[in-house]
Amino acid sequence: MTYTVGMYLADRLAQIGLKHHFAVAGDYNLVLLDQLLLNKDMQQIYCCNELNCGFSAEGYARAHGAAAAVVTFSVGAISAMNAIGGAYAENLPVILISGSPNSNDYGSGHILHHTIGTTDYGYQLEMVRHVTCAAESITDAASAPAKIDHVIRSALRESKPVYLEIACNVSAQECVRPGPVSSLLSHPSTDTVSLNAAVDAAVTFLEKAERTAMLVGSKLRAAHALKETEALADKLGCGVAIMAAAKSFFPEDHAGFRGLYWGEVSAPGVQDLIEKADAVICVAPVFNDYSTVGWTAWPKGDKVLLAETNRVTVAGQTFEGFTLPEFLTALAKKAPARPLSAKETTYVKPEIAPAQADAKLTNDEMARQINAMLTSDTTLVAETGDSWFNAMRMHLPRGARVESEMQWGHIGWSVPSSFGNAMGSQDRQHVVMVGDGSFQLTAQEVAQMVRYELPVIIFLVNNRGYVIEIAIHDGPYNYIKNWDYAGLMEVFNAGEGHGLGLHAKTPAELEDAIKQAQANRRGPTIIECHIDRSDCTDTLVKWGKRVASANARKPQAV
Ligand code: DPX
């Protein structure tokens, strides 16, 4: 059998550990999909549309370390680019692969279907460059291996998405075979001079401080530095706070854990922990308008040691040439113990009092019951909206994961992303919290959970509108058409699936629905939670006001 370009790509994807790739068929990628199917180490998983396909891959990368999505030219790839922008924002190595025009059509003056109707086929590659860290167009078999290797290596090194387009008549062309995968996984060597200097500067900085605290940020997982951060916290013995987008990136049963730092909507005592410290080690943070609560809570200046993915800045000096885990490990060896901030503060475990069984279901009671079902095997996927704030007030057992998309914030992300995440970590229980407005964007991907029999539990918050937007800035555009969300499951089952749709209007109904969902192992369950529109977390309202006033700043006078 001839060894082909498509087989080379499939082998490389399997070599980096992918067991699945996500796809939507189209005539520019059909031959490529055939080639990928020949690889028996990987399963081809289908999505309802390319936006969802991109988000499914993004979710798979969260669970599995990397992912691939295969789409057709323009009509498919341009939809997928939104999700790829999300993967860029969220630091996830997703490989977007688009079938593309026949190599003879490039530069021929021909006008092709599915294109914008001009004769230059470079526009897709140009567009995608802005949302990827490497992008290649393959129009001949000889250069395919180098281009495939280049993009995959870039994705893994930078934890960012990449792009490949493969001319539809090239995927089945003869190609050389790949060597060992180690060349794609290796990292540039460490600059030990710079690393030692950074550690010395950090130790001097810490020795001068009495009240040290650590702040854990959302790029920590992409930097592969979760364990190293915990080891540094063990050594320092100081108080540790997490940023919202880093929920679950630091164990909540750790002796130093104090809770969420989010400016004025921080957990009790945590604003003081960070803002009154005389040394704050910020590990892999992203300070944006949301995380700084409209620029009101932004640790910076000479009290801050900023340890980013590939750079450390401390005491007016900046260092690079090493990875974050290398820096944290080296620092943990030399760092002085700094337990004062932990002694002076306590972790206040979030508790919500149970409601009467037959009362009207409230947001608090829903959050309480969801929190009670979390175990170390749970992945909780929190959609943009009040679901963020509900996730933030949960206490997590060690091992429980929270997934959110706070940088990109595309409503509807949670449904396809949890589908991909569930595919990539089938040993875990996936629980989704999603608002009605968000769900309406990508609802059809629940059908794929039915198809692939994934027991995802979806808490659909029916509060009849875009409640977070109502908190930020109200108007008629925040009120949506109601759907029978639980009823959709019958549509998706179409007489042959095991999806379950349930309604919960009281605490007792919710409890019963959760039991049924947990027993339904052969398909997803939607639990439609009926909540008053005005019933949302206090933190959402406070935070929303701050963000609204940041948005409303007047233009500067010229
Ligand atoms: C919008 C947002 O119902 O949740 O908890 O009721 O707010 P809440 P819902 O899912 O509503 C979501 C809604 C409309 N954001 O409040 S957060 C603007 C927006 C976005 N992404 C895309 N379009 C619009 N974030 C793709």
Side-chain angles (χ1 to χ4, degrees):
M1 195 184 197
T2 309
Y3 191 84
T4 67
V5 170
M7 289 157 91
Y8 186 101
L9 174 62
D11 278 347
R12 281 309 205 193
L13 295 178
Q15 277 183 329
I16 64 165
L18 304 197
K19 302 268 181 260
H20 308 86
H21 56 270
F22 296 86
V24 180
D27 59 358
Y28 290 111
N29 70 18
L30 299 177
V31 176
L32 174 61
L33 292 177
D34 288 341
Q35 299 295 309
L36 297 176
L37 281 171
L38 295 173
N39 189 309
K40 299 301 171 207
D41 294 332
M42 249 189 327
Q43 200 187 338
Q44 203 162 79
I45 303 295
Y46 306 108
C47 296
C48 296
N49 63 49
E50 288 81 357
L51 172 67
N52 291 353
C53 186
F55 279 138
S56 299
E58 185 263 23
Y60 190 86
R62 288 170 184 262
H64 205 78
V70 189
V71 298
T72 196
F73 199 65
S74 288
V75 289
I78 293 177
S79 287
M81 270 184 220
N82 188 330
I84 295 303
Y88 197 100
E90 303 289 325
N91 308 294
L92 294 160
V94 176
I95 302 155
L96 176 65
I97 302 152
S98 172
S100 66
N102 184 295
S103 59
N104 299 300
D105 287 324
Y106 281 83
S108 67
H110 294 166
I111 293 182
L112 297 172
H113 71 286
H114 288 347
T115 72
I116 56 172
T118 58
T119 56
D120 173 2
Y121 300 118
Y123 64 91
Q124 184 165 303
L125 184 66
E126 283 310 306
M127 289 170 77
V128 82
R129 283 196 198 285
H130 294 278
V131 289
T132 54
C133 71
E136 295 285 1
S137 174
I138 295 176
T139 50
D140 70 290
S143 64
K147 289 177 176 174
I148 292 170
D149 286 0
H150 166 61
V151 299
I152 296 179
R153 184 185 299 114
S154 304
L156 298 178
R157 276 196 185 163
E158 297 189 34
S159 266
K160 293 283 185 195
V162 294
Y163 171 78
L164 267 182
E165 65 187 30
I166 307 183
C168 56
N169 59 333
V170 171
S171 347
Q173 290 294 301
E174 190 166 359
C175 180
V176 294
R177 289 169 191 271
V181 72
S182 48
S183 65
L184 298 187
L185 304 177
S186 62
H187 277 275
S189 57
T190 309
D191 179 342
T192 46
V193 175
S194 181
L195 176 60
N196 291 338
V199 171
D200 289 347
V203 169
T204 309
F205 166 81
L206 291 172
E207 276 171 346
K208 280 190 201 146
E210 265 182 71
R211 259 178 209 84
T212 298
M214 280 175 73
L215 181 62
V216 174
S218 61
K219 287 194 175 178
L220 197 63
R221 182 169 60 187
H224 305 290
L226 297 169
K227 279 198 210 111
E228 292 78 1
T229 300
E230 191 181 343
L232 178 59
D234 290 342
K235 180 70 184 292
L236 290 165
C238 64
V240 182
I242 50 155
M243 294 178 72
K247 179 80 178 171
S248 84
F249 288 3
F250 191 85
E252 301 198 352
D253 63 357
H254 190 277
F257 182 70
R258 293 293 174 269
L260 174 71
Y261 175 66
W262 207 359
E264 81 178 66
V265 294
S266 298
V270 178
Q271 195 169 9
D272 279 356
L273 171 78
I274 296 299
E275 294 176 7
K276 295 195 174 153
D278 44 17
V280 185
I281 305 174
C282 297
V283 193
V286 174
F287 294 118
N288 64 15
D289 52 345
Y290 277 11
S291 69
T292 64
V293 198
W295 313 116
T296 62
W298 186 354
K300 55 182 171 180
D302 57 7
K303 288 184 183 170
V304 167
L305 183 163
L306 187 59
E308 295 175 287
T309 310
N310 50 13
R311 173 175 296 275
V312 167
T313 306
V314 58
Q317 231 184 334
T318 190
F319 307 88
E320 60 161 39
F322 46 82
T323 65
L324 183 58
E326 286 169 338
F327 172 72
L328 296 172
T329 304
L331 179 58
K333 284 194 191 128
K334 289 194 177 174
R338 280 290 177 269
L340 190 57
S341 68
K343 281 188 191 143
E344 288 178 349
T345 53
T346 45
Y347 171 53
V348 182
K349 189 176 166 193
E351 303 274 7
I352 302 172
Q356 288 278 329
D358 58 352
K360 206 169 168 343
L361 184 61
T362 60
N363 186 45
D364 280 354
E365 175 62 14
M366 181 186 68
R368 186 189 73 80
Q369 290 198 27
I370 296 173
N371 199 163
M373 70 187 281
L374 304 183
T375 69
S376 54
D377 295 328
T378 311
T379 298
L380 178 67
V381 181
E383 179 65 85
T384 300
D386 201 19
S387 300
W388 278 352
F389 296 86
N390 272 331
M392 289 313 128
R393 60 181 173 150
M394 288 185 186
H395 171 77
L396 303 178
R398 189 176 270 260
R401 292 181 200 154
V402 171
E403 300 292 353
S404 64
E405 198 214 24
M406 287 196 173
Q407 179 61 36
W408 193 240
H410 185 302
I411 56 170
W413 153 87
S414 64
V415 177
S417 181
S418 63
F419 166 57
N421 200 314
M423 191 60 82
S425 52
Q426 294 185 27
D427 50 336
R428 298 181 67 81
Q429 172 65 65
H430 293 77
V431 174
V432 181
M433 293 191 296
V434 54
D436 46 1
S438 301
F439 188 76
Q440 291 194 0
L441 274 83
T442 54
Q444 66 276 66
E445 223 52 30
V446 173
Q448 305 297 356
M449 299 176 187
V450 174
R451 179 183 193 171
Y452 294 103
E453 301 195 347
L454 296 170
V456 178
I457 303 177
I458 301 172
F459 290 88
L460 183 300
V461 186
N462 188 346
N463 57 12
R464 308 282 174 112
Y466 297 154
V467 167
I468 191 172
E469 300 293 350
I470 294 171
I472 293 175
H473 182 121
D474 200 9
Y477 32 74
N478 291 331
Y479 300 87
I480 61 174
K481 169 75 183 78
N482 191 36
W483 292 6
D484 176 4
Y485 300 97
L488 277 178
M489 215 44 122
E490 279 311 300
V491 177
F492 293 144
N493 282 336
E496 58 186 15
H498 304 277
L500 196 59
L502 303 166
H503 288 273
K505 293 186 173 162
T506 65
E509 283 177 12
L510 182 59
E511 216 172 294
D512 181 57
I514 291 175
K515 281 193 195 123
Q516 289 189 58
Q518 286 173 325
N520 181 27
R521 303 313 301 162
R522 288 193 61 195
T525 303
I526 292 179
I527 304 178
E528 183 175 343
C529 301
H530 297 266
I531 308 274
D532 274 353
R533 185 180 290 136
S534 56
D535 183 7
C536 60
T537 55
D538 306 341
T539 44
L540 162 65
V541 177
K542 276 194 204 154
W543 175 90
K545 281 191 184 139
R546 286 287 183 191
V547 171
S549 56
N551 280 348
R553 280 165 303 157
K554 293 208 163 45
Q556 285 182 358
V558 273

